[in-house]
Amino acid sequence: MAQLKWGMIGGGEGSQIGPAHRLGALADGHFTLAAGALDHRPDVGRAYAQRLGVAADRAYGDWTEMLAGERNRPDRVDLVTVATPNSTHFQITKAFLEAGFNVLCEKPMTVTVEEGEEIVRIAAKTGKICAVNYCYSAYPMIRQARAMVRNGDIGKVRLVVTNFSHGHHGDAADADNPRVRWRYDPAMAGVSGQFADCGIHALHMASFICDDEVEKLSADFASTIASRVLEDDAMVNFRMGRGTVGRLWTSSVAIGRQHGFDIQVFGETGGFRWASEQPNQLIYTPVGGRTQIMEKGEGGLYDDAKRLSRVAIAHPEGFPLAVANIYCDLADAIRGTPRDGLPTAASGVRSMAAVHTAVASAKAGGTWMDARPPMFR
């Protein structure tokens, strides 16, 4: 099957997320990097794209140049990844969708709910794919967990507890580092810092595994480093559509925690736990039974977990291959076989509605508020 052509905006040399996208997109041979506008400095971006193998005439100085250069090419890219700062996501994603390109946008998809709803409508109108990189949902054992919930293996879900808390922004002396500072700057990050950066991964994961949506929430935010305008720690309680109780903690100042993303789901007949630092394992306990370690690659797993496992049992599959699984699902969708697990613009706007609701709730002293975007109420 012919390779699909892929273009990337942002994610240049030295970026945190760029290498994961390049490793993920190219891992399975579905895509080839054909075009890029990789840096806000035009000459630097062009030079880096060419070092990655992009032809000189498709190594662009910025995204507007890339849009103009690609839109009328007979061999134009099949997919565009947007990996730029949050405040630019809407404008770039909107422009490429309206020009008929499929888009994978980094999270958060937009910085306002209204923008998110517009992206959902544009994607529906154009018939193009707009996916959001909630890549943790593509780990094989997360797909196993979701299938277990859907198949009733733990009964009705009562409670979900999740957190995404690390300490890598806990040094006040490093607060002016450009790679750190923008995350707490409203002009760059929007209305929320840590919750919009990491907390929405945890919230999306809860919705994804439980196969349910957050309806209302109550939040408490804190900026523990005084120079930060936006929060670096948040606690969010939430309720889901079918009555599941949710608890979420997210922090960037939890010194000693490394990645710190995990989730526990408790149902009427069993429960399980997954942690991103041991992603090959799902710890499962049936009611009245012994705790079991379910391993990626073993027999008896559900189909989606098996489909997205590449190497034999006991061999680790890490973060770039979780990103690669998103690109596998995108390749299938572009070729005409939609995958149920692919996070779309609907997930993106739900996350943004939750962010704005959490900000409002925190300002109101933790008042419970409707967390759904207006279009889904």
Side-chain angles (χ1 to χ4, degrees):
M1 189 174 294
Q3 284 186 313
L4 298 168
K5 291 173 288 295
W6 173 54
M8 189 173 191
I9 301 169
E13 190 169 18
S15 76
Q16 182 176 346
I17 198 64
H21 276 284
R22 287 186 285 276
L23 288 167
L26 306 179
D28 298 286
H30 293 302
F31 292 93
T32 183
L33 180 59
L38 303 181
D39 200 289
H40 67 281
R41 298 162 296 180
D43 290 343
V44 173
R46 290 190 187 101
Y48 187 51
Q50 289 178 69
R51 291 204 303 276
L52 293 175
V54 175
D57 66 329
R58 303 181 83 173
Y60 299 104
D62 61 34
W63 71 265
T64 59
E65 185 180 298
M66 179 168 157
L67 179 60
E70 290 293 315
R71 69 188 311 160
N72 295 319
R73 290 183 69 109
D75 60 345
R76 73 184 201 162
V77 292
D78 299 290
L79 173 70
V80 174
T81 291
V82 179
T84 54
N86 299 358
S87 60
T88 66
H89 288 180
F90 170 70
Q91 184 183 17
I92 299 172
T93 298
K94 178 178 184 290
F96 276 87
L97 283 174
E98 289 179 333
F101 292 91
N102 300 301
V103 176
L104 170 63
C105 185
E106 264 302 325
K107 39 58 58 185
M109 183 178 74
T110 60
V111 295
T112 72
V113 179
E114 294 77 15
E115 289 173 349
E117 292 189 329
E118 186 172 351
I119 292 296
V120 171
R121 288 190 288 265
I122 292 169
K125 181 179 179 180
T126 61
K128 292 299 173 181
I129 297 163
C130 181
V132 183
N133 191 36
Y134 288 117
C135 54
Y136 298 99
S137 66
Y139 274 104
M141 297 313 289
I142 291 298
R143 297 295 178 94
Q144 172 70 14
R146 188 188 203 207
M148 289 175 69
V149 168
R150 286 183 160 184
N151 284 278
D153 294 351
I154 64 169
K156 184 180 184 295
V157 177
R158 293 169 172 161
L159 176 65
V160 56
V161 180
T162 184
N163 75 79
F164 196 158
S165 302
H166 64 84
H168 299 298
H169 300 167
D171 184 357
D174 195 42
D176 284 333
N177 181 334
R179 291 181 61 183
V180 174
R181 187 181 62 239
W182 76 266
R183 299 174 188 274
Y184 306 96
D185 179 356
M188 297 285 283
V191 297
S192 171
Q194 177 62 14
F195 185 63
D197 188 23
C198 293
I200 57 173
H201 272 301
L203 196 71
H204 175 264
M205 185 76 86
S207 294
F208 185 84
I209 290 178
C210 295
D211 202 23
D212 201 358
E213 300 296 345
V214 174
E215 289 199 341
K216 59 182 180 178
L217 61 76
S218 167
D220 178 42
F221 282 10
S223 297
T224 67
I225 293 179
S227 63
R228 290 175 176 163
V229 177
L230 301 176
E231 84 288 348
D232 53 23
D233 187 276
M235 182 69 74
V236 178
N237 293 311
F238 58 93
R239 299 290 187 273
M240 306 185 86
R242 293 195 289 271
T244 297
V245 175
R247 315 289 189 202
L248 185 156
W249 173 48
T250 186
S251 181
S252 63
V253 294
I255 295 172
R257 291 180 67 94
Q258 295 303 319
H259 195 252
F261 184 16
D262 60 50
I263 187 165
Q264 295 174 273
V265 180
F266 305 100
E268 294 175 330
T269 61
F272 50 72
R273 176 182 183 271
W274 178 87
S276 65
E277 293 175 34
Q278 295 85 34
N280 288 350
Q281 297 181 338
L282 189 67
I283 312 302
Y284 167 57
T285 307
V287 65
R290 292 183 175 180
T291 297
Q292 309 168 27
I293 299 177
M294 305 177 72
E295 292 275 0
K296 176 207 66 67
E298 70 183 11
L301 300 181
Y302 286 106
D303 288 344
D304 220 25
K306 290 188 287 188
R307 178 177 67 87
L308 296 176
S309 296
R310 292 172 179 75
V311 295
I313 189 170
H315 291 75
E317 292 185 33
F319 179 78
L321 289 186
V323 177
N325 287 338
I326 293 290
Y327 280 96
C328 284
D329 283 354
L330 275 164
D332 286 346
I334 291 168
R335 290 168 172 152
T337 304
R339 295 293 182 182
D340 177 62
L342 183 63
T344 65
S347 297
V349 73
R350 286 186 185 277
S351 294
M352 191 43 53
V355 167
H356 281 268
T357 304
V359 170
S361 173
K363 289 180 179 178
T367 300
W368 283 90
M369 296 182 175
D370 193 326
R372 296 170 296 175
M375 71 187 313
F376 293 139
R377 293 182 185 177

